[in-house]
Amino acid sequence: MGRTERSREIARRRARTVKVKKLRARFAAAKTDAEKTALTEKLSRVSPFATFS
């Protein structure tokens, strides 16, 4: 039996939250501007309105 649309939405939101948290940790540890730029681009693909601030 498949998931309902609402439970899929909740699962996507939880996965996105975990992914954004990991990206923020990697951004905080990044040394070079190139790394930070790459992580910023990846974050905007995962969650368009999220920021590193």
Side-chain angles (χ1 to χ4, degrees), residues 19-47 50-52:
K19 195 171 285 192
V20 168
K21 187 176 180 181
K22 285 181 183 179
L23 286 172
R24 284 186 172 140
R26 285 177 57 192
F27 185 83
K31 302 275 191 255
T32 65
D33 287 337
E35 284 179 293
K36 290 182 180 186
T37 304
L39 290 170
T40 302
E41 290 172 2
K42 187 173 282 194
L43 179 68
S44 67
R45 283 193 306 268
V46 172
S47 184
T51 60
F52 282 122

Side-chain angles (χ1 to χ4, degrees), residues 1-18:
M1 187 167 171
R3 285 183 164 177
T4 62
E5 179 63 28
R6 178 66 179 156
S7 65
R8 278 184 287 199
E9 180 184 344
I10 291 169
R12 279 194 310 266
R13 186 174 298 151
R14 286 179 181 155
R16 187 181 312 118
T17 303
V18 169

